[in-house]
Amino acid sequence: MKGIKLILVALAAVVTLTYFAAPVTAGEDGVQWLTYEQGLEKQRELKKPILLFFHLPYCYRCKEMERKVYKDSKVISFIDQNFIPVEVDLDKEKQTAELFEADYTPTHVFIAPDGSTALRVKDVITKSRFERMLEYVAKGKYKTMNFDTYEKKAP
Protein backbone atom coordinates (compact mmCIF):
# COMPACT_ATOMS: atom_id res chain seq x y z
CA MET A 1 0.00 0.00 0.00
CA LYS A 2 2.84 2.42 0.83
CA GLY A 3 4.39 1.65 -2.56
CA ILE A 4 1.21 2.62 -4.40
CA LYS A 5 0.92 5.89 -2.45
CA LEU A 6 4.53 6.71 -3.20
CA ILE A 7 4.01 6.02 -6.90
CA LEU A 8 0.89 8.21 -6.96
CA VAL A 9 2.71 11.06 -5.22
CA ALA A 10 5.64 10.76 -7.63
CA LEU A 11 3.26 10.67 -10.62
CA ALA A 12 1.44 13.79 -9.35
CA ALA A 13 4.78 15.57 -8.96
CA VAL A 14 5.85 14.66 -12.51
CA VAL A 15 2.52 15.82 -13.96
CA THR A 16 2.73 19.11 -12.04
CA LEU A 17 6.33 19.77 -13.09
CA THR A 18 5.57 18.89 -16.69
CA TYR A 19 2.61 21.25 -16.76
CA PHE A 20 4.56 24.23 -15.39
CA ALA A 21 7.68 23.50 -17.44
CA ALA A 22 5.76 23.19 -20.70
CA PRO A 23 6.16 26.05 -23.17
CA VAL A 24 3.36 28.57 -23.47
CA THR A 25 1.09 27.39 -26.26
CA ALA A 26 -2.11 28.50 -27.86
CA GLY A 27 -5.15 26.67 -26.64
CA GLU A 28 -8.43 25.94 -28.29
CA ASP A 29 -10.18 28.53 -26.12
CA GLY A 30 -7.71 31.35 -26.62
CA VAL A 31 -4.44 32.55 -25.25
CA GLN A 32 -2.95 30.47 -22.44
CA TRP A 33 -2.14 33.14 -19.88
CA LEU A 34 0.57 32.96 -17.24
CA THR A 35 0.82 34.76 -13.93
CA TYR A 36 3.18 37.72 -13.69
CA GLU A 37 5.75 35.69 -11.77
CA GLN A 38 5.60 32.84 -14.29
CA GLY A 39 5.93 35.37 -17.12
CA LEU A 40 9.07 36.93 -15.63
CA GLU A 41 10.62 33.50 -15.25
CA LYS A 42 9.78 32.59 -18.86
CA GLN A 43 11.14 35.91 -20.11
CA ARG A 44 14.49 35.28 -18.43
CA GLU A 45 14.57 31.88 -20.12
CA LEU A 46 13.18 32.72 -23.58
CA LYS A 47 14.20 36.41 -24.00
CA LYS A 48 10.82 37.27 -25.53
CA PRO A 49 8.70 40.34 -24.85
CA ILE A 50 5.90 40.02 -22.31
CA LEU A 51 2.33 40.98 -23.19
CA LEU A 52 0.60 42.11 -19.99
CA PHE A 53 -3.20 42.12 -20.14
CA PHE A 54 -4.63 44.00 -17.15
CA HIS A 55 -8.27 43.08 -16.70
CA LEU A 56 -11.13 42.50 -14.30
CA PRO A 57 -13.31 39.38 -14.55
CA TYR A 58 -16.50 41.48 -14.65
CA CYS A 59 -15.22 44.11 -17.11
CA TYR A 60 -17.37 44.06 -20.26
CA ARG A 61 -14.60 45.77 -22.29
CA CYS A 62 -12.16 43.03 -21.24
CA LYS A 63 -14.65 40.35 -22.25
CA GLU A 64 -15.03 42.06 -25.60
CA MET A 65 -11.24 41.90 -26.11
CA GLU A 66 -11.27 38.23 -25.16
CA ARG A 67 -14.10 37.44 -27.60
CA LYS A 68 -13.04 39.54 -30.56
CA VAL A 69 -9.25 39.45 -30.33
CA TYR A 70 -7.80 36.90 -27.94
CA LYS A 71 -9.80 33.99 -29.38
CA ASP A 72 -8.71 34.64 -32.97
CA SER A 73 -6.47 31.81 -34.18
CA LYS A 74 -4.09 34.16 -36.04
CA VAL A 75 -3.65 36.34 -32.94
CA ILE A 76 -3.20 33.30 -30.70
CA SER A 77 -0.55 31.85 -32.99
CA PHE A 78 1.36 35.15 -33.25
CA ILE A 79 1.32 35.64 -29.48
CA ASP A 80 2.42 32.04 -28.95
CA GLN A 81 5.41 32.45 -31.28
CA ASN A 82 6.55 35.92 -30.23
CA PHE A 83 5.37 36.77 -26.71
CA ILE A 84 4.96 35.60 -23.17
CA PRO A 85 1.29 36.28 -22.37
CA VAL A 86 0.55 37.42 -18.82
CA GLU A 87 -2.91 38.18 -17.47
CA VAL A 88 -3.21 40.40 -14.40
CA ASP A 89 -6.45 40.72 -12.41
CA LEU A 90 -6.51 44.28 -11.02
CA ASP A 91 -8.52 43.21 -7.96
CA LYS A 92 -6.33 40.25 -7.01
CA GLU A 93 -2.91 41.49 -8.07
CA LYS A 94 -2.88 45.07 -6.83
CA GLN A 95 0.90 45.18 -6.38
CA THR A 96 1.55 44.30 -10.03
CA ALA A 97 -1.13 46.77 -11.14
CA GLU A 98 0.52 49.51 -9.08
CA LEU A 99 3.95 48.61 -10.44
CA PHE A 100 2.68 49.31 -13.97
CA GLU A 101 0.29 52.10 -12.94
CA ALA A 102 -2.61 50.15 -14.43
CA ASP A 103 -5.82 51.75 -13.22
CA TYR A 104 -8.10 51.07 -16.18
CA THR A 105 -9.31 47.91 -17.87
CA PRO A 106 -8.38 46.68 -20.26
CA THR A 107 -4.80 47.93 -20.35
CA HIS A 108 -2.12 46.28 -22.46
CA VAL A 109 1.55 46.75 -21.61
CA PHE A 110 4.30 45.21 -23.72
CA ILE A 111 7.55 44.66 -21.84
CA ALA A 112 10.68 44.32 -23.97
CA PRO A 113 13.18 41.55 -23.14
CA ASP A 114 15.41 44.19 -21.48
CA GLY A 115 12.58 45.09 -19.06
CA SER A 116 11.65 48.43 -20.64
CA THR A 117 8.11 49.29 -21.67
CA ALA A 118 7.81 48.93 -25.44
CA LEU A 119 4.14 49.94 -25.73
CA ARG A 120 1.19 50.74 -23.49
CA VAL A 121 -2.42 51.03 -24.70
CA LYS A 122 -5.68 51.34 -22.76
CA ASP A 123 -9.21 50.34 -23.77
CA VAL A 124 -10.67 47.91 -26.30
CA ILE A 125 -8.53 47.52 -29.41
CA THR A 126 -9.75 46.26 -32.76
CA LYS A 127 -8.23 43.02 -34.00
CA SER A 128 -6.45 44.72 -36.90
CA ARG A 129 -4.93 47.42 -34.68
CA PHE A 130 -3.93 44.82 -32.08
CA GLU A 131 -2.19 42.79 -34.80
CA ARG A 132 -0.21 45.93 -35.77
CA MET A 133 0.71 46.40 -32.10
CA LEU A 134 1.95 42.82 -31.90
CA GLU A 135 4.04 43.24 -35.05
CA TYR A 136 5.41 46.59 -33.84
CA VAL A 137 6.73 45.03 -30.65
CA ALA A 138 7.77 41.65 -32.12
CA LYS A 139 9.80 43.34 -34.87
CA GLY A 140 11.48 45.68 -32.38
CA LYS A 141 10.14 48.81 -34.11
CA TYR A 142 9.62 50.44 -30.70
CA LYS A 143 13.39 50.94 -30.61
CA THR A 144 13.34 53.37 -33.54
CA MET A 145 9.86 54.96 -33.70
CA ASN A 146 6.70 55.47 -31.71
CA PHE A 147 3.62 53.40 -32.42
CA ASP A 148 1.65 56.24 -34.05
CA THR A 149 4.38 56.66 -36.67
CA TYR A 150 4.56 52.90 -37.23
CA GLU A 151 0.80 52.66 -37.56
CA LYS A 152 0.69 55.45 -40.17
CA LYS A 153 3.32 53.62 -42.24
CA ALA A 154 1.53 50.26 -42.02
CA PRO A 155 -0.33 49.20 -45.18
Side-chain angles (χ1 to χ4, degrees):
M1 193 62 138
K2 284 184 180 182
I4 292 174
K5 285 183 182 179
L6 185 60
I7 290 171
L8 290 175
V9 169
L11 182 60
V14 168
V15 169
T16 301
L17 289 172
T18 302
Y19 174 78
F20 286 109
V24 178
T25 57
E28 294 176 9
D29 295 329
V31 176
Q32 298 300 299
W33 300 102
L34 297 175
T35 66
Y36 181 63
E37 291 76 21
Q38 290 170 329
L40 288 176
E41 188 175 314
K42 283 282 185 193
Q43 188 180 49
R44 282 189 290 273
E45 175 189 332
L46 302 176
K47 308 293 188 238
K48 289 183 180 182
I50 291 177
L51 162 58
L52 289 169
F53 175 45
F54 291 93
H55 77 104
L56 289 166
Y58 48 83
C59 167
Y60 70 92
R61 294 178 305 272
C62 301
K63 292 188 183 307
E64 185 177 343
M65 281 296 302
E66 290 166 0
R67 268 191 329 275
K68 294 182 177 180
V69 178
Y70 285 124
K71 292 209 179 200
D72 180 85
S73 61
K74 185 177 172 188
V75 170
I76 293 167
S77 179
F78 197 86
I79 290 172
D80 183 43
Q81 292 172 23
N82 298 283
F83 293 91
I84 299 163
V86 171
E87 188 175 52
V88 180
D89 182 320
L90 261 64
D91 280 344
K92 294 179 181 175
E93 300 167 78
K94 293 182 188 308
Q95 189 174 11
T96 305
E98 287 174 11
L99 179 65
F100 290 95
E101 300 175 354
D103 58 358
Y104 183 87
T105 57
T107 295
H108 298 84
V109 180
F110 293 84
I111 306 300
D114 68 3
S116 65
T117 300
L119 182 62
R120 175 189 192 88
V121 180
K122 292 182 177 183
D123 216 346
V124 175
I125 304 161
T126 64
K127 180 178 159 289
S128 60
R129 185 165 197 244
F130 192 74
E131 288 171 330
R132 287 191 299 277
M133 290 167 51
L134 292 172
E135 290 170 0
Y136 170 77
V137 176
K139 292 179 179 179
K141 297 296 184 179
Y142 60 89
K143 296 174 186 174
T144 59
M145 69 179 79
N146 66 36
F147 181 65
D148 290 337
T149 303
Y150 177 80
E151 196 168 27
K152 287 175 186 170
K153 291 182 178 186

